[in-house]
Amino acid sequence: MRSAAKILTVFAMILALFIVGTVGFHFIEGWSFFDSFYTTIVTLATVGYGDFHPASVEGRVFAVVLIIFGVGALAYFVTLVIDNLVDVRLRTILGRGKVEKKISSMKDHYIICGFGKIGRHVGRELFQEKANFVVIDNDPERIQTILDEGYLAVKGNATEDRVLKEAGLERAKALVSVLPTDAENLYVVLTAKELNPNLYIISRYAEEEASEKRLLKAGANRVMSPYREGGVKMALAVLKPAMLEPTE
């Protein structure tokens, strides 16, 4: 049984004990439901204020049984919650260490800066070709998606030297920068080329035609526009459909 399921099961047992205790004290001692509920909480918490206590033998026996089962269940519940929190934290630390170890041993790999729609497609193509690559993204949800899909990832801003180095830039073969803005891609190209002059860099541009020249001047080996490339391909599909048909 998983930890979460165990916690829910024990919680349900404790809730049932509260209900049983409240109803039991109400009928055995004749107290109101509120006073009975209050006494049940005090009993299970082992506080013992003494303002309410069973007067009858039956009530005392009932309180003893409630303490034996209730206190143990509460202690077990707290232990499960703490263990679950520690386990999650431990898995996170170990998982991060495992990823860092794999990246540190990589050489001649590829780096993808940004895991939006284009970055996701680039990653899938590299994965199909069985090429080693690392994704850099600063969105926690995307990072989790990347790791769930079996890719290696570094969380952070790809424009920072530290993050690029953590992705193994100095040992990488090529870098693909597909960040949302031309300014971010330009900064990545400048930084990456400074850290690794021999790195092959492909960058996208999306905003201005002039960005293509700036990116090339900054050190990008090739600059592509997904809109222009897509437009050209769609035009060919209309004008010369035979050129795009798969060959057997």
Side-chain angles (χ1 to χ4, degrees):
M1 186 182 293
R2 295 180 179 179
S3 297
K6 285 183 178 180
I7 291 174
L8 289 175
T9 301
V10 177
F11 179 78
M13 291 173 59
I14 293 172
L15 185 62
L17 283 170
F18 276 112
I19 295 173
V20 170
T22 301
V23 174
F25 282 129
H26 172 72
F27 285 104
I28 295 174
E29 297 295 328
W31 297 331
S32 68
F33 279 109
F34 179 79
D35 289 341
S36 298
F37 177 69
Y38 170 77
T39 305
T40 302
I41 291 179
V42 171
T43 301
L44 293 180
T46 67
V47 175
Y49 289 125
D51 46 355
F52 284 94
H53 56 84
S56 65
V57 176
E58 293 83 357
R60 292 174 182 176
V61 172
F62 179 75
V64 169
V65 175
L66 190 64
I67 290 172
I68 292 173
F69 287 96
V71 173
L74 280 173
Y76 185 53
F77 177 74
V78 173
T79 302
L80 280 178
V81 172
I82 294 175
D83 285 348
N84 188 60
L85 292 174
V86 172
D87 186 54
V88 170
R89 179 62 179 167
L90 187 60
R91 286 202 307 268
T92 301
I93 294 173
L94 293 176
R96 188 185 303 121
K98 188 177 181 181
V99 170
E100 291 176 355
K101 186 176 180 180
K102 285 184 177 180
I103 294 175
S104 65
S105 65
M106 293 174 68
K107 186 179 180 182
D108 293 331
H109 58 286
Y110 302 88
I111 298 175
I112 303 172
C113 298
F115 202 67
K117 293 180 180 179
I118 300 175
R120 185 183 294 271
H121 284 296
V122 174
R124 286 175 179 173
E125 291 297 323
L126 291 176
F127 185 76
Q128 289 179 1
E129 294 296 325
K130 297 181 180 181
N132 292 324
F133 66 94
V134 179
V135 180
I136 299 176
D137 201 286
N138 59 2
D139 188 323
E141 292 184 2
R142 286 182 179 176
I143 289 293
Q144 190 58 53
T145 300
I146 295 166
L147 296 175
D148 290 342
E149 292 184 6
Y151 307 153
L152 296 177
V154 172
K155 182 182 179 299
N157 193 332
T159 61
E160 297 180 8
D161 295 18
R162 175 190 60 81
V163 177
L164 290 171
K165 288 180 179 180
E166 190 176 340
L169 180 80
E170 295 162 317
R171 305 182 308 277
K173 181 177 182 180
L175 178 144
V176 180
S177 186
V178 285
L179 295 174
T181 67
D182 293 346
E184 289 176 299
N185 289 315
L186 179 62
Y187 201 91
V188 168
V189 172
L190 287 168
T191 306
K193 209 66 176 179
E194 182 181 351
L195 295 173
N196 187 349
N198 298 320
L199 187 70
Y200 187 85
I201 301 176
I202 298 177
S203 177
R204 67 165 282 188
Y205 77 90
E207 298 167 1
E208 302 176 3
E209 293 288 336
S211 297
E212 182 177 8
K213 294 181 179 179
R214 295 193 188 102
L215 287 162
L216 289 170
K217 189 175 181 180
N221 298 90
R222 186 172 180 181
V223 180
M224 303 176 68
S225 169
Y227 307 113
R228 185 176 65 184
E229 300 290 335
V232 171
K233 193 170 183 179
M234 291 179 72
L236 287 174
V238 173
L239 299 173
K240 301 177 181 179
M243 292 182 61
L244 297 179
E245 290 180 359
T247 57
E248 296 182 359

